[in-house]
Amino acid sequence: MKKKYLSKIIANDNEGLQMISACCAGAEIKVSEIKYLQKNKVFLLSLKRTKIETENESKKVNSICKFEFVDNVKSKNIKQDDVDQKLELITMDYLKNNNNYEISLIFTNNAYITLSTEIIEVTLDDQNKID
């Protein structure tokens, strides 16, 4: 029987967001694979991440990280016209600002994306393993 490498994590609070952040730390993201669907209030990241299976074994998987109820997106130090630019995710964090949340996606080279949202609603969904 083959091992399954696919999983799904749904977060709606800080602890869940930190779990997704830990799973995505070091993930590689191409600028062309970052999408903000403003009408749907959805922000999507397509990423390649390392998934630890056992102490001595890790696999690369393609995953989608989906943020819902996003009202606004800001970025800094990301060349949006350079679709081949690769970013490496360091962490995700949030700040409560009045009645909204600001979720920060922090990358290497002092690049970041800030999402303004009403609630924390994040899904990390593995798509397939990379051979």
Side-chain angles (χ1 to χ4, degrees):
M1 185 169 146
K2 287 187 174 184
K3 287 184 183 178
K4 289 187 177 183
Y5 296 100
L6 307 180
S7 63
K8 182 182 232 179
I9 302 171
I10 300 171
N12 55 18
D13 59 14
N14 182 43
E15 288 178 14
L17 181 64
Q18 293 308 311
M19 179 180 284
I20 289 176
S21 176
C23 290
C24 294
E28 182 183 288
I29 302 161
K30 281 177 128 180
V31 169
S32 62
E33 296 171 342
I34 299 172
K35 306 285 185 221
Y36 177 44
L37 309 174
Q38 191 170 8
K39 284 186 179 180
N40 298 334
K41 298 178 98 174
V42 171
F43 183 82
L44 299 168
L45 291 174
S46 178
L47 46 92
K48 290 181 174 75
R49 68 185 191 90
T50 301
K51 183 173 182 181
I52 307 298
E53 293 296 314
T54 64
E55 263 186 55
N56 302 322
E57 186 180 345
S58 62
K59 300 286 181 187
K60 291 279 190 183
V61 292
N62 288 316
S63 300
I64 300 289
C65 194
K66 177 180 170 186
F67 298 82
E68 298 189 66
F69 306 105
V70 176
D71 296 316
N72 191 19
V73 177
K74 296 179 190 173
S75 66
K76 186 169 183 180
N77 297 328
I78 298 173
K79 298 176 187 169
Q80 296 178 18
D81 56 345
D82 183 0
V83 295
D84 292 325
Q85 179 186 12
K86 291 182 183 176
L87 304 170
E88 183 181 331
L89 185 65
I90 298 173
T91 191
M92 297 178 194
D93 203 1
Y94 85 99
L95 173 69
K96 181 121 167 115
N97 188 3
N98 296 324
N99 293 328
N100 290 327
Y101 294 93
E102 291 183 3
I103 300 173
S104 296
L105 310 175
I106 302 167
F107 303 93
T108 54
N109 299 323
N110 201 27
Y112 64 87
I113 297 172
T114 302
L115 311 174
S116 298
T117 181
E118 302 167 15
I119 61 172
I120 296 173
E121 187 73 35
V122 185
T123 305
L124 177 65
D125 196 2
D126 291 347
Q127 302 299 300
N128 60 348
K129 71 176 183 170
I130 304 168
D131 292 323

